[in-house]
């Protein structure tokens, strides 16, 4: 895929307003993004303490709602400051994500059985939270139907039933018609397969739960093969398989599941399960997490990054790039994130890496010519720095092809820096006329600057919009632009202080090294790992301090620290 | 099935066998040959339209876009209330779509989350009534069908319009926006059962999967569960969905007479699932002709009506363009005002530029609103067709509670939206066309209390300011 020709930043069809002309059209478009004065930060819920040496206390008790807003402490001397991170408390039983269902089924049935199954599971759109968080998971009818369809699909694609029988119930003779006499053998299968599927020991009560299948099989004179297939299809839809149950203090098996799905996006492996079964997991948690962290963490990284970078939004944004190409971009971004995690790079590398893991569409896009390179470096026509300039992320963060300063500023401010969100703009402000202060043929930045300088708009817009200026040369269509009007220098005034930078590379370097970026990422990781947003305000500081003490803030360090906190062993 | 008008023999004898000229007696009420007809089952269908209608067009009365409803109002099949406030949704008088949509037919103030997504304050009336009227589960294959045609889906309130008590989408399917997708999910691939299945022992054995799953989920949702209430609710929802599937596969509803299953439609070839960009993103506004838009919408309306007639569901919503839609209508758009008008405009952007003194802006809004209300009136007329009658001899339009509404009024204003009501099985006043100020939440409460015996609907802490009981018969 050859990158598109560079486009001028803003054009408006003259016919939009008939004879009204270009300037009026721009005024209307500009007016859509204006806010009234007295916009104040929207606060609520409990706050995580700032953790910064320069910060005021501002921290709330565990789970309580503060009487005042989050504390924002601007930085000094061009260094971004910090802000308390506000999370409305939310907690609910979590269901396995689609990917986790597939990974779990693969562990039960073999990899061949699950190829193509994930396509049967519709992905729900997500606002806030992660896909693994119960409070953010919806359950439309077609998803429940899809659970059955996917279960049937996987059962139909098992390639080695004899091995399965050998593993769970060697007494099974597949071609034998099931009679009452074979029920004991089926019970063995249910107990053993069930233990793996449910991630806990099973009892005869679990066997009794499957009696309707056995009864129906006998009545229909089904073979053992057919009966086992029905049993497996049932297992894959059972609540004990699909949901992660948690007592107030997690028992060993629940802890094993929480740890495993967090770090590997899949069920406990044999070693972890054995530790749980022996009752030694709580005391041996450090050893287990160290063992898992030494393995490939790609599954965790892909799952986490997909939601953290909002990559799922990318295919909905750009209607001109072929959907398959956009999906390839998304895969490349997730794989790049995974590589950084596996290489144990500091978390800032997300924003500053000089290498993307590529697939052919992404490699061609970056290189400007067909390519099958598996990694790519920056080129003169695509001089990327970090994942914010990856085409997938550019598309995800931009509501316009040109690269909206509003949506991208909000993305950096809210998603990457966890700043308090501004309230919705009231209508009426859209009519504010700023045309007198705009240059001829203004860029998006010119309009954003006009808003930031206007007393009616700046109180809200100044809180987030300037964060987009460093990306001014990067289009929402995933293209680098050389239009000389596009300025990506600082300084910018933000609520976290003044930030001076010369171009996007400098901006991204500073962003990646900012304390608030680290803190925000830490908050997201905690929410992902705990699958809820309720955690004490000092937890974030503890995790970052321990990570720094271990040699630096990396995913492995933060995950290890979180897992070994008491809160990880409680609901 | 129609019921004959009958008088039982005892009544005839009391009257001396003379029925002609006698005053109306209770005993002359319609009776079926099989006994008194029950009230029709509770059913709520809303016809939403995105973007609202300016008050200057409302003021034109029957010469304006709302004239499309005159035949229905004159026939006492519809009432319109054109000055209904949903300001309590939040965000002030000009709260806009993100506050207004979750409030519509719900009555709970909205909270705005990141990216202008909405957190509804409470459940929509459809959901509340469904749970209250059918505590054991609504006995239809589907619970709530929410469909619509629109070309923007960047915020959750654009494609999620009916909410449950968990502040989540209450509809069976998320973002059902394509006629073919709608057909396939309601009449096509979801319906897998055949009579042959019941005779096949292997197929019957497959049903045993459900016989295992249902008690498995009941174990966690029943009285003995020690899970927190929120977790129980989630698992109960899952159980309800499993029961829905069981009913679909193994409990096909009996089709009433004169109801033929619909054929798979052949809709216009549009990008139904596209996200039409942001307010200023002209390049991404989806270009579509009014004719194609209308055709697709009416196909979805026909499918919705078919589903209601077949009793596949009793609660539904059909949305004409999404709240905050970004549709670039391009092509002929005739109206009584201008039969030769050619539109090339995005009505949403037009509202952002709203200026009643600007003739071109007003023209676009006028033509667009003629288009909107003509299409919605057409759906109401179809619902009133006597080709399908309920057990009580009345039409869908009479028996269901039909609600009309939009998430905004003039240019994102929340103080003067249009609400309309039809049906309600005779319990709502019909034939009204009122511009008296009303509060939507009070209308919802009047309906909820009188039609369904609900103690309250929506957030009543704001205090009552108008008398909405006037909407009742």
């Amino acid at each position: 895929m050859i990158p598109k020709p560079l486009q001028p930043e803003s054009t408006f069809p003259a016919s939009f307003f008939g004879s009204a002309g270009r300037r009026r059209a721009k005024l209307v478009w500009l007016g859509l993004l204006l806010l009234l004065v007295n916009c104040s930060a929207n606060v609520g819920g409990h706050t995580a303490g700032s953790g910064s040496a320069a910060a005021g206390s501002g921290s709330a008790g565990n789970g309580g709602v503060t009487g005042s807003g989050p504390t924002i402490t601007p930085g000094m001397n061009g260094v971004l400051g910090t802000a308390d991170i506000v999370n409305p408390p939310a907690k609910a039983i979590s269901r396995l994500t689609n990917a986790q269902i597939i990974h779990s089924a693969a562990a039960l049935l073999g990899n061949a059985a699950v190829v193509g199954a994930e396509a049967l599971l519709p992905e729900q759109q997500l606002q806030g939270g992660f896909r693994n968080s119960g409070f953010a998971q919806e359950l439309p009818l077609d998803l429940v139907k899809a659970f059955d369809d996917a279960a049937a699909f996987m059962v139909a694609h098992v390639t080695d039933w004899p091995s399965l029988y050998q593993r769970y119930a060697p007494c099974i003779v597949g071609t034998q018609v099931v009679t009452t006499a074979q029920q004991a053998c089926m019970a063995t299968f249910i107990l053993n397969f069930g233990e793996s599927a449910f991630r806990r020991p099973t009892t005869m009560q679990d066997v009794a739960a499957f009696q309707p299948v056995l009864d129906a099989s006998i009545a229909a004179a089904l073979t053992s093969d057919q009966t086992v297939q029905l049993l497996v299809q049932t297992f894959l839809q059972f609540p004990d398989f699909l949901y992660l149950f948690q007592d107030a203090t997690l028992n060993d098996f629940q802890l094993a599941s929480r740890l495993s799905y967090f770090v590997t996006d899949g069920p406990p492996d044999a070693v972890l399960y054995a530790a749980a079964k022996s009752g030694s997991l709580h005391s041996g948690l450090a050893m287990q997490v160290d063992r898992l962290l030494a393995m490939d963490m790609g599954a965790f990284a892909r799952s986490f990054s997909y939601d953290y970078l909002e990559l799922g939004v990318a295919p909905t944004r750009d209607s001109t790039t072929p959907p398959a190409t956009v999906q390839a971009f998304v895969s490349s971004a997730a794989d790049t994130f995974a590589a950084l995690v596996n290489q144990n790079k500091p978390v800032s590398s997300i924003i500053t890496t000089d290498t993307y893991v590529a697939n052919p569409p992404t490699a061609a896009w970056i290189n400007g010519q067909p390519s099958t390179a598996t990694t790519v470096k920056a080129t003169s026509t695509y001089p990327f720095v970090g994942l914010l300039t990856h085409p997938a992320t550019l598309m995800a963060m931009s509501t316009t092809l040109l690269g909206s300063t509003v949506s991208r500023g909000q993305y950096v401010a809210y998603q990457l820096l966890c700043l308090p969100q501004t309230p919705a703009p009231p209508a009426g402000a859209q009519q504010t006329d700023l045309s007198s202060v705009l240059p001829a043929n203004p860029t998006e930045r010119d309009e954003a600057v006009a808003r930031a300088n206007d007393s009616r708009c700046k109180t809200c817009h100044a809180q987030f919009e300037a964060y987009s200026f460093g990306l001014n040369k990067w289009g929402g269509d995933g293209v680098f632009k050389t239009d000389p009007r596009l300025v990506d220098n600082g300084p910018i005034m933000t609520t976290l202080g003044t930030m001076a930078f010369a171009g996007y590379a400098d901006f991204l370097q500073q962003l990646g090294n900012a304390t608030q970026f680290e803190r925000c990422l830490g908050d997201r990781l905690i929410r992902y790992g705990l699958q809820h947003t309720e955690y004490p305000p000092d937890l974030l500081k503890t995790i970052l301090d321990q990570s720094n003490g271990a040699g630096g803030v990396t995913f492995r360090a933060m995950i290890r620290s979180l897992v070994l906190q008491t809160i990880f062993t409680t609901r | 099935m129609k019921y004959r008008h009958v008088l039982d023999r005892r009544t005839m004898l009391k009257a001396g066998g003379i029925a002609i000229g006698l005053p109306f007696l209770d005993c002359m009420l319609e009776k079926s040959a099989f006994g008194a007809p029950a009230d029709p089952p509770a059913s709520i269908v809303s016809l939403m339209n995105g973007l609202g209608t300016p008050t200057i067009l409302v003021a034109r009365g029957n010469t304006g876009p709302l004239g499309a409803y005159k035949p229905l109002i004159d026939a006492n099949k519809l009432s319109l209330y054109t000055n209904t406030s949903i300001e309590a949704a939040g965000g002030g008088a000009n709260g806009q779509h993100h506050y207004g949509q979750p409030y519509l037919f719900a009555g709970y103030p909205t909270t705005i989350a990141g990216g202008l997504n909405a957190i509804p304050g409470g459940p929509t009336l459809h959901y509340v009534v469904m749970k209250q009227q059918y505590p054991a589960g609504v006995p239809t294959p589907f619970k709530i069908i929410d469909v619509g045609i629109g070309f923007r889906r960047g915020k959750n309130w654009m494609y999620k319009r009916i909410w449950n008590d968990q502040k989540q989408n209450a509809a069976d399917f998320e973002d059902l926006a394509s006629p073919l997708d709608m057909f396939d999910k309601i009449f096509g691939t979801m319906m897998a059962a055949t009579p042959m299945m019941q005779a096949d022992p292997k197929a019957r054995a497959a049903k045993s999967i459900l016989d295992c799953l249902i008690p498995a989920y009941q174990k966690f949702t029943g009285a003995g569960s020690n899970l927190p209430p929120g977790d129980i609710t989630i698992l109960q929802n899952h159980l309800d969905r499993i029961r829905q599937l069981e009913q679909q596969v193994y409990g096909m509803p009996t089709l009433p007479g004169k109801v033929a299953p619909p054929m798979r439609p052949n809709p216009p070839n549009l990008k139904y699932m596209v996200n039409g960009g942001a307010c200023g993103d002209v390049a991404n506004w989806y270009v579509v002709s009014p004719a194609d838009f209308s055709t697709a919408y009416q196909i979805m309306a026909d499918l919705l009506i078919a589903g209601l007639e077949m009793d596949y569901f009793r609660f539904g919503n059909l949305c004409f363009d999404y709240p905050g839609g970004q549709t670039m209508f391009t092509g002929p758009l005739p109206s009584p005002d201008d039969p030769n008008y050619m539109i090339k405009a995005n009505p949403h952007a037009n509202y952002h530029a709203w200026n009643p003194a600007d003739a071109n802006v007003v023209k676009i809004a006028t033509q667009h609103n003629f288009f909107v209300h003509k299409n919605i009136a057409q759906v109401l007329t179809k619902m009133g067709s006597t080709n399908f009658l309920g057990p009580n001899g009345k039409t869908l339009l009479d028996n269901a509670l039909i609600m009309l509404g939009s998430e905004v009024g003039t240019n994102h204003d929340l103080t003067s939206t249009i609400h309309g009501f039809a049906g309600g099985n005779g319990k709502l006043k019909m034939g009204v066309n009122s511009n008296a100020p009303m509060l939507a939440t009070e209308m919802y409460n009047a309906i909820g209390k009188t039609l369904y015996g609900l103690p309250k609907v929506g957030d009543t802490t704001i205090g009552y300011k108008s008398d909405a009981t006037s909407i009742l018969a």
Side-chain angles (χ1 to χ4, degrees):
Chain A
M1 173 84 181
I2 307 298
K4 299 184 183 126
L6 301 176
Q7 300 292 332
E9 184 168 15
S10 56
T11 56
F12 294 86
S15 63
F16 174 57
F17 277 114
S19 58
R22 177 181 291 249
R23 180 168 286 274
R24 185 171 180 186
K26 287 179 187 168
L27 168 61
V28 169
W29 178 75
L30 165 68
L32 299 176
L33 304 176
L34 298 182
L35 299 176
L36 285 174
V37 70
N38 296 325
C39 174
S40 58
N42 187 18
V43 300
H46 74 278
T47 60
S50 64
S52 162
S57 60
S59 47
N62 181 16
V65 177
T66 60
S68 59
T71 299
I72 298 177
T73 307
M76 307 287 287
N77 301 322
V79 176
L80 289 180
T82 59
D84 286 352
I85 297 173
V86 177
N87 284 314
K91 183 188 288 190
I93 187 171
S94 294
R95 193 175 66 236
L96 297 185
T97 65
N98 293 350
Q100 289 171 343
I101 289 171
I102 299 304
H103 297 155
S104 303
L108 293 168
L109 305 175
N111 291 333
V114 305
V115 174
E118 192 166 2
L120 298 174
L121 297 168
E123 197 68 60
Q124 307 308 306
Q125 299 192 37
L126 205 61
Q127 281 88 30
F130 289 87
R131 285 171 297 161
N132 69 346
S133 302
F135 64 85
Q137 294 171 331
E138 295 191 337
L139 194 64
L141 181 63
D142 51 348
L143 180 58
V144 176
K145 172 76 166 50
F147 289 153
D148 185 57
D149 291 342
F153 177 93
M154 289 187 278
V155 162
H157 286 78
V158 171
T159 57
D160 191 355
W161 285 105
S163 294
L164 209 94
Y165 298 154
Q166 189 62 33
R167 183 177 163 195
Y168 295 113
C171 55
I172 291 177
V173 178
T175 54
Q176 191 174 40
V177 171
V178 174
T179 64
T180 308
Q182 274 89 43
Q183 287 205 84
C185 182
M186 285 299 160
T188 300
F189 177 85
I190 292 169
L191 286 169
N192 293 336
F193 187 89
E195 183 169 10
S196 295
F198 296 166
R199 306 172 291 268
R200 60 159 174 79
T202 45
T203 68
M204 289 309 293
Q205 273 192 328
D206 294 303
V207 175
F210 290 83
Q211 196 62 43
V213 169
L214 297 179
D215 292 342
S217 296
I218 293 170
L222 299 186
T223 64
S224 291
D225 279 335
Q226 292 167 324
T227 303
V228 168
Q229 288 168 23
L230 284 177
L231 288 171
V232 172
Q233 191 173 339
T234 309
F235 267 111
L236 296 178
Q237 301 176 72
F238 242 64
D240 308 67
F241 172 76
L242 287 174
Y243 287 89
L244 295 174
F245 292 87
Q246 292 166 355
D247 297 336
T249 298
L250 273 60
N251 64 38
D252 280 283
F253 302 102
Q254 294 167 348
L255 180 59
S257 284
R258 172 180 259 182
L259 172 62
S260 183
Y261 282 109
F262 177 23
V263 181
T264 75
D265 213 34
D269 61 11
V271 174
L272 182 58
Y273 188 78
K277 200 164 185 178
S278 70
S280 63
L281 180 55
H282 278 80
S283 59
L285 191 57
M287 181 176 68
Q288 290 300 327
V289 69
D290 286 341
R291 182 181 66 83
L292 293 174
L293 289 175
M295 297 178 178
D296 186 318
M297 294 190 64
F300 153 76
R302 289 181 188 87
S303 174
F304 179 84
S305 65
Y306 189 82
D307 292 335
Y308 172 65
L309 294 176
E310 298 186 333
L311 295 177
V313 179
T316 72
R317 297 286 203 199
D318 185 9
S319 63
T320 55
T321 306
T325 303
V326 178
Q327 289 295 346
F329 293 164
V330 170
S331 295
S332 165
D335 289 344
T336 302
F337 199 103
L340 296 172
V341 171
N342 272 329
Q343 292 162 16
N344 212 32
K345 299 282 191 185
V347 297
S348 58
S349 65
I350 296 168
I351 308 296
T352 60
T353 183
D354 66 354
T355 305
Y356 292 156
V357 173
N359 43 49
T362 307
W365 188 272
I366 303 295
N367 291 330
Q369 58 189 8
S371 171
T372 57
T374 56
T375 59
V376 290
K377 297 282 191 182
T379 66
S380 59
T381 53
Y382 205 101
F384 67 82
V385 172
L387 278 170
L388 293 195
T389 53
H390 191 286
T393 319
L394 287 169
M395 292 176 181
M397 73 166 84
S398 304
T399 55
T400 72
L401 292 178
L402 304 171
S404 162
T405 50
V406 172
S407 67
R408 301 209 293 195
Q410 289 178 335
Y411 184 92
V412 174
Y414 304 155
Q415 193 65 8
L416 302 183
L417 295 176
C418 294
L419 295 180
Q421 303 215 9
T422 55
Q430 283 90 343
Q431 304 307 311
T432 304
D433 182 0
L434 294 179
S435 58
S436 62
V437 299
L438 288 172
N441 202 19
T443 66
E444 294 238 9
R445 179 167 180 166
D446 292 329
E447 286 152 358
V449 169
R451 287 189 285 274
N453 290 331
D454 187 276
S455 61
R456 295 162 292 183
C457 310
K458 69 180 181 183
T459 309
C460 284
H461 275 266
Q463 294 186 43
F464 60 84
E465 202 160 7
Y467 289 113
S468 71
F469 293 172
L471 296 169
N472 212 29
K473 290 185 175 176
W474 292 94
D477 51 1
V479 175
F480 179 71
K481 304 181 189 301
T482 58
D483 184 337
R485 297 177 305 137
L486 301 177
V487 176
D488 62 349
N489 292 336
I492 58 174
M493 303 285 292
T494 78
T495 48
L496 296 182
T498 301
M499 192 179 178
F501 53 90
Y504 66 92
D506 188 15
F507 167 75
L508 292 170
Q509 192 76 30
Q510 292 188 49
L511 178 66
N513 289 323
T515 300
Q516 186 66 12
F517 171 78
E518 245 178 32
R519 285 163 39 73
C520 183
L521 182 53
D523 167 77
R524 299 298 190 236
L525 187 67
I526 291 170
R527 295 172 58 180
Y528 180 88
L530 297 180
Q531 296 172 296
H532 60 73
T533 59
E534 299 179 9
Y535 65 88
D538 59 347
L539 177 64
L540 180 58
K541 182 178 186 305
T542 299
I543 287 172
L544 291 175
D545 287 347
Q546 288 184 357
S547 298
N548 276 311
V553 180
T554 65
F555 275 95
R556 281 193 169 92
M558 288 200 290
I559 290 171
R560 186 181 196 278
S561 174
L562 174 60
V563 168
L564 298 181
Q565 303 298 320
T566 301
I567 193 173
F568 195 80
T569 63
T570 63
R571 184 176 179 277
Chain B
M1 176 187 291
K2 276 191 176 182
Y3 291 116
R4 297 175 285 126
H5 291 258
V6 296
L7 288 174
D8 64 24
R9 183 168 174 275
R10 180 175 294 183
T11 304
M12 285 294 290
L13 291 172
K14 280 183 179 175
I18 303 173
I20 299 173
L22 288 175
F24 180 78
L25 301 172
D26 286 345
C27 58
M28 292 181 179
L29 288 172
E30 286 182 7
K31 288 190 176 185
S32 82
F34 307 102
D39 278 346
S43 172
I44 297 178
V45 179
S46 50
L47 303 177
M48 293 183 183
N49 65 285
L51 307 176
T53 299
T55 51
I56 61 169
L57 298 181
V58 173
R60 286 185 52 179
N62 290 327
T63 67
L66 299 188
Y69 301 113
K70 184 178 186 304
L72 291 156
I73 295 173
D74 289 345
N76 289 323
K77 295 295 183 183
L78 176 70
S79 284
L80 277 188
Y81 300 92
T82 55
N83 192 3
T84 305
S85 172
I86 57 171
E87 186 181 354
N94 292 310
Q96 303 184 69
H97 326 279
H98 35 270
Y99 282 104
Q101 195 292 316
Y103 189 90
L104 187 60
F105 307 134
Y108 293 92
T110 305
T111 302
I112 302 303
L116 277 189
N117 290 293
I119 302 174
T124 315
L125 191 60
H126 310 58
Y127 179 85
V128 175
V129 171
M130 183 188 73
K131 294 298 254 186
Q132 184 243 14
Q133 293 285 311
Y134 304 102
V138 58
T140 52
F142 303 99
K143 293 185 186 181
I144 298 175
I145 297 297
D146 180 14
V147 300
I149 176 166
F151 302 100
R152 188 175 179 207
R153 42 193 37 82
K155 324 286 180 193
N156 64 343
W157 40 268
M158 293 169 181
Y159 58 90
K160 299 182 189 182
R161 297 165 290 254
I162 309 295
W163 305 91
N164 63 19
D165 53 2
Q166 299 299 302
K167 305 179 193 287
Q168 293 184 330
N169 191 2
D172 283 12
F173 304 103
E174 184 169 287
D175 202 4
L176 208 50
S178 141
L180 288 179
D181 198 24
M182 180 183 178
F183 177 87
D184 288 340
K185 284 189 169 156
I186 297 175
F187 303 101
T189 57
M190 288 291 290
M191 309 306 296
T194 66
M196 291 294 292
M197 180 181 286
Q198 304 306 320
D200 180 359
K202 291 179 185 155
R204 282 207 308 276
K207 183 181 181 297
S208 64
I209 293 176
L210 295 173
D211 295 337
C212 294
L213 290 179
I214 289 172
Y217 281 90
Q218 285 174 326
K219 185 178 79 174
F220 295 108
T221 60
S225 174
N226 59 2
L227 292 177
D231 292 5
I232 292 176
T233 301
I234 287 172
L235 294 168
Q236 182 65 49
N237 285 341
H238 199 143
L239 176 59
D240 289 346
R241 291 298 189 202
I242 291 173
R243 284 201 169 116
Q244 253 188 289
L245 288 175
E246 181 184 37
Q247 186 161 27
Q248 285 180 11
V249 178
Y250 299 105
M252 291 284 287
T254 304
L255 301 183
K258 297 188 182 178
V259 180
M263 300 285 289
R264 195 165 194 264
N266 186 23
N269 185 19
L270 306 177
K271 281 188 182 179
Y272 291 98
M273 299 300 291
V274 78
N275 182 5
C279 285
D281 186 12
V282 181
N284 268 330
W285 295 345
Y286 188 70
V287 177
V288 66
S289 73
D292 280 349
F293 193 101
S294 175
T295 299
Y297 173 77
Q298 291 298 337
I299 289 174
M300 297 182 95
D302 291 341
L303 293 175
L304 186 82
I305 292 169
L308 291 165
E309 291 176 347
M310 296 164 71
D311 207 24
Y312 276 15
F313 48 87
R314 296 178 184 171
F315 298 89
N317 176 59
L318 173 64
C319 200
F320 185 99
D321 209 351
Y322 285 0
Q326 298 289 13
T327 311
M328 187 71 160
F329 289 100
T330 303
L333 185 56
S335 80
D337 276 9
D338 186 349
N340 301 310
Y341 185 73
M342 296 289 287
I343 191 169
K344 187 173 182 180
N346 175 344
H348 184 189
N350 194 53
Y351 284 130
H352 278 296
W354 185 251
N355 180 357
D358 185 323
N360 188 52
V361 168
V362 172
K363 177 79 171 190
I364 291 170
T366 303
Q367 295 296 122
H368 174 251
N369 272 276
F370 270 113
F371 177 58
V372 170
H373 294 291
K374 171 187 166 186
N375 269 278
I376 295 174
Q378 201 171 331
V379 177
L380 290 168
T381 302
K382 290 178 189 178
M383 287 180 163
S385 168
T386 54
N387 285 335
F388 174 81
L389 296 174
N392 60 359
K394 296 183 181 178
T395 68
L396 260 181
L397 191 64
D398 297 320
N399 285 332
L401 169 63
I402 314 290
M403 303 191 292
L404 276 60
S406 182
E407 84 283 4
V408 290
T410 302
N411 184 22
H412 303 82
D413 160 72
L414 300 185
T415 61
S416 56
T417 69
I418 294 173
H419 274 55
F421 301 103
N425 198 27
K427 294 176 183 170
L428 295 174
K429 193 176 292 180
M430 290 293 111
V432 175
N433 191 350
S434 170
N435 194 245
M438 301 273 245
L439 291 184
T441 187
E442 293 178 4
M443 300 169 94
Y444 306 154
N445 268 279
I447 289 170
K449 285 177 186 171
T450 305
L451 271 66
Y452 307 108
L454 292 170
K456 84 173 185 75
V457 176
D459 182 4
T460 55
T461 61
I462 60 172
Y464 284 81
K465 296 176 184 172
S466 62
D467 178 14
T469 55
S470 57
I471 71 172
L472 302 173

